[in-house]
């Protein structure tokens, strides 16, 4: 089916509230079971302001129409509730309807859209007649973009608009929900249709902490569980995702304590659950992150400090920036010779677990079809906003955003650059989203992308010196059993022209040399390292390194 995600909580003794009505909208099973089946408004953390706004509107339209008559006016009870999937939109509507004493009649729009035009029209009119025949009622249409798409309206969309207008004029509340408001027909926002829009935001860390408190109210937690820590490790999670996380942690605790008299959910259960439960907002991403952090990056102290301030601080401490009245940096450009750790630095930033990561490789956003490249850029940033806090990584950004006016592809890259500039520093807010680009040709990146407000921090990742190479070797050899005769510090001093990737390749080749000698080898000796040294050659181009160093120096002294 098409059942939605669970809402943030449920009332005692009731079924969990869902974020979408179950499919099969024509039978009595879709009728609301009354106020007892709906969650209480007080049990919907983060939705109380939206609940008050909707309550005032429905209470006025259902119970105080005489006041409107004396004032010579009317009220339109058409509402569009927008928010991420699983954030509790339908739970909000059911809770408010229970508070004002109204019946809820749900419709799942994708199911109607799958019917023939005649069958869908009959279902719509029958449902509308049923709702108008009862007392105070709310027609809840979930995922309305399936019935009224913005770009491909059909006969069913026309019938739906007509039925919607008739139902609202009859004094019935119509609440439509969507997780993609940009995909909804703008005509539905007419004054006589869905005149009010209520937005359900993505929960921040404080709100996730409050939702976890509600979700674990009846869960016996061990003493080592810190809900603040769990909330900090769940960026982009909505209420349904947190409910799934708590449920998965409980299952793992049950498997671990099958014979215990007083089982509890421990910190390790939540840690294990975090490995399998992913946020709904990242469902379209298949990115698998390595288990590394900045502590695993050898040397580069200044670069790591700059990235911490420019990337991790805006994502982790947005309230501090707001308190000081400054806008955090929007983006960072890492540039340096190939193989010096630019991509690995971003991998380490992602491994901190404080943000969701969306990775774009070079020119994969480019398409030969007119308009598709710009659409891909808009979709990328839309997903980033939904999953905030988010880190967008643009690898080989010089291929994605070259200097405009020099391309011979019909203007595709120029339009992509314009779309990037608009998304980075446009009218629409880019809150809790940081963009990191990486390139070894910063001179080929469009200058407009490097001004303040966009990729404003340019960070030079230099080739490692002797001490840095020794640190990189130690980091790469952390799990390699080197013999006592291997001196990594001396080895690092002698690897002139080696990049960070070359150093890692040297360690890998030394281990392979030990395996060639004996598949039962237990240590890697200096002889194996020397054999690897003869095979692995430095890859840095002195001319390119000198040019990049001069470029960095020029930007520093400018």
């Amino acid at each position: 089916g098409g059942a939605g995600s669970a809402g943030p909580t449920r009332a005692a003794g009731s079924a969990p509230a869902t974020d979408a009505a179950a499919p099969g909208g024509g039978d009595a099973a879709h009728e609301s079971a009354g106020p007892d089946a709906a969650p209480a408004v007080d049990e919907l953390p983060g939705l109380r302001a939206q609940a008050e706004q909707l309550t005032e509107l429905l209470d006025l339209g259902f119970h105080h129409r005489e006041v409107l008559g004396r004032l010579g006016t009317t009220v339109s009870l058409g509402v569009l509730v927008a928010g991420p999937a699983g954030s509790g939109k339908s739970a909000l509507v059911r809770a408010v309807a229970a508070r004002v004493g109204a019946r809820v009649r749900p419709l799942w729009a994708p199911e109607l859209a799958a019917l023939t035009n005649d069958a869908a029209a009959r279902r719509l009119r029958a449902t509308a007649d049923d709702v108008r025949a009862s007392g105070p009622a709310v027609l809840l249409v979930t995922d309305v973009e399936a019935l009224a798409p913005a770009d491909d309206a059909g006969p069913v969309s026309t019938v739906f608009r007509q039925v919607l207008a008739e139902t609202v004029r009859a004094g019935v509340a119509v609440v439509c929900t969507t997780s993609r408001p940009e995909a909804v027909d703008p005509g539905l926002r007419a004054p006589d249709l869905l005149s009010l829009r209520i937005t359900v935001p993505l929960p921040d860390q404080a709100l996730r902490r409050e939702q976890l408190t509600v979700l674990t109210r009846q869960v016996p937690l061990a003493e080592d569980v810190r809900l603040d820590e769990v909330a900090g490790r769940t960026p982009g999670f909505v209420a349904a995702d947190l409910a799934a996380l708590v449920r998965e942690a409980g299952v793992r605790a049950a498997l671990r304590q099958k014979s215990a008299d007083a089982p509890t959910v421990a910190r390790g259960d939540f840690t294990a659950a975090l490995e399998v439960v992913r946020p709904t907002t990242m469902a379209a991403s298949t990115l698998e992150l390595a288990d590394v952090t900045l502590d695993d990056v050898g040397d580069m102290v200044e670069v790591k400090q700059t990235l911490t301030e420019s990337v991790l601080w805006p994502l982790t401490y947005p309230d501090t920036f707001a308190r000081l009245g400054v806008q955090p940096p929007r983006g960072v450009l890492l540039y340096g010779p190939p193989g010096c750790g630019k991509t690995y630095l971003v991998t380490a930033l992602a491994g901190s677990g404080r943000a969701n990561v969306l990775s774009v490789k070079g020119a994969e956003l480019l398409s030969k079809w007119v308009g598709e490249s710009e659409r891909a850029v808009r979709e990328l940033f839309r997903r980033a906003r939904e999953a905030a806090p988010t880190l967008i990584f643009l690898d080989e950004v010089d291929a994605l955003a070259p200097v405009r006016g020099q391309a011979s592809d019909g203007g595709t890259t120029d339009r992509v650059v314009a779309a990037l500039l608009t998304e980075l520093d446009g009218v629409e807010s880019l809150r809790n989203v940081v963009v990191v680009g990486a390139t070894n040709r910063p001179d080929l990146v469009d200058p407009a992308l490097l001004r303040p407000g966009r990729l404003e921090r340019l960070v030079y990742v230099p080739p490692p010196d002797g001490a840095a190479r020794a640190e990189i070797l130690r980091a790469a050899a952390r799990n390699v059993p080197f013999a006592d005769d291997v001196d990594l510090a001396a080895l690092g001093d002698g690897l002139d022209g080696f990049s960070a990737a070359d150093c890692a390749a040297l360690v890998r080749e030394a281990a392979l040399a030990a395996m060639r000698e004996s598949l039962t080898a237990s240590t890697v000796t200096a002889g194996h390292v020397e054999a690897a040294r003869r095979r692995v050659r430095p890859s840095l181009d002195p001319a390119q390194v000198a040019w990049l160093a001069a470029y960095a120096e020029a930007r520093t002294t400018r």
Side-chain angles (χ1 to χ4, degrees), residues 327-328 330-331 381 385 417-430 435 448-449 451-456:
Q327 288 286 342
R330 292 281 179 86
F381 280 85
R385 290 187 185 92
V417 174
L420 278 172
L421 299 180
T422 303
E423 292 291 345
L424 279 170
D425 193 23
V427 175
E428 191 170 359
S429 174
L430 197 65
V435 180
L449 197 63
R451 74 156 177 79
R454 291 164 181 167
L455 301 185
E456 58 186 72

Side-chain angles (χ1 to χ4, degrees), residues 474-500:
R474 293 189 186 96
R478 183 169 300 171
N479 298 318
V480 178
F482 276 117
D484 294 337
D485 60 348
V486 177
D487 186 353
L488 294 181
L491 179 62
D493 287 336
L495 296 178
D496 291 333
F498 273 61
S499 67

Side-chain angles (χ1 to χ4, degrees), residues 145 196 240 249 260 262 289 382 411 453 457 462 512 548:
E145 67 273 9
L196 175 65
L289 300 179
R382 183 192 66 81
R457 299 291 296 272
L512 289 174
L548 287 168

